[in-house]
């Protein structure tokens, strides 16, 4: 006797569904990173975009803003350990985590806008090439992290992993820009 294709004893066909909750943020991250890189590469660099009173140069402004963003990213890491119970912390650790992240992002955006507008995606040295790649990757990973925050039923390891990638990218960006600037030009305002 042959099996009837309409028989209820056969396994039901797998329904076609939307990509898992982790795929969409990954696709957005890739699109943001690639989009920024393409814009930076095809954009005609303007040379400068802004300077703030009280600073000796645009490089000093960017270095101090990047250092501020890096400081708040460090606060993010420590407060994340508190939120996940890996470190003891106050009851307001979740608020500290949210606000330090917001501040880090808001301080990093003008630096990124200046870099893209004034310099674009550059590859004339290894340091600059890595800085360009990491800058694009940072904003892509950050976009994914923000989307994952609103997703339900994520594996418990995913959000800390993506947060770690965001922090690592920002750290490497800081090392290839602000720290390089302070070591080359000096700590100036």
């Amino acid at each position: 006797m042959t099996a009837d294709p309409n028989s209820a004893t056969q396994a039901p066909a797998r329904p076609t569904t939307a990509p898992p909750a982790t795929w969409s943020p990954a696709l957005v991250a890739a699109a943001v990173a690639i989009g920024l890189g393409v814009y930076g590469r095809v954009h005609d660099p303007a040379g400068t975009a802004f300077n703030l009173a009280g600073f000796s140069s645009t490089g000093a402004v960017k270095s101090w803003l990047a250092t501020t963003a890096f400081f708040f990213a460090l606060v993010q890491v420590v407060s994340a350990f508190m939120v996940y119970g890996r470190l003891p912390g106050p009851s307001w650790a979740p608020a500290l985590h949210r606000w330090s992240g917001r501040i880090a992002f808001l301080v990093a955006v003008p630096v990124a806008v200046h870099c893209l507008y004034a310099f674009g995606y550059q590859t004339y040295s290894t340091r600059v090439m890595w800085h360009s790649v990491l800058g694009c990757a940072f904003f892509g990973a950050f976009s994914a992290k923000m989307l994952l925050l609103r997703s339900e039923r994520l594996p418990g390891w995913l959000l800390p992993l993506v947060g770690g990638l965001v922090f690592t990218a920002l750290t490497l960006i800081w090392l290839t820009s602000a720290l390089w600037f302070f070591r080359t030009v000096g700590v100036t305002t």
Side-chain angles (χ1 to χ4, degrees), residues 51-65 67-68 178 181-182 185-189:
N51 200 356
L52 293 177
F55 287 92
S56 60
S57 68
T58 303
V61 173
K62 288 174 33 182
S63 295
W64 283 107
L65 288 174
T67 300
T68 302
F181 179 85
F182 292 141
V185 177
V187 179
T188 62
T189 56

Side-chain angles (χ1 to χ4, degrees), residues 30-58:
V32 167
I34 292 168
L36 289 173
V38 167
Y39 171 78
R41 194 68 177 159
V42 301
H43 167 69
D44 208 10
T48 190
F50 69 85
N51 200 356
L52 293 177
F55 287 92
S56 60
S57 68
T58 303

Side-chain angles (χ1 to χ4, degrees), residues 122-140:
Q122 299 287 326
T123 58
Y124 62 85
S125 75
T126 303
R127 177 191 66 82
V128 171
M129 184 265 313
W130 278 110
H131 183 74
S132 294
V133 168
L134 291 163
C136 296
F138 168 78
F139 282 97

Side-chain angles (χ1 to χ4, degrees), residues 1-5 7 9-10:
M1 178 175 204
T2 60
D4 179 10
S7 171
T9 59
Q10 286 186 337

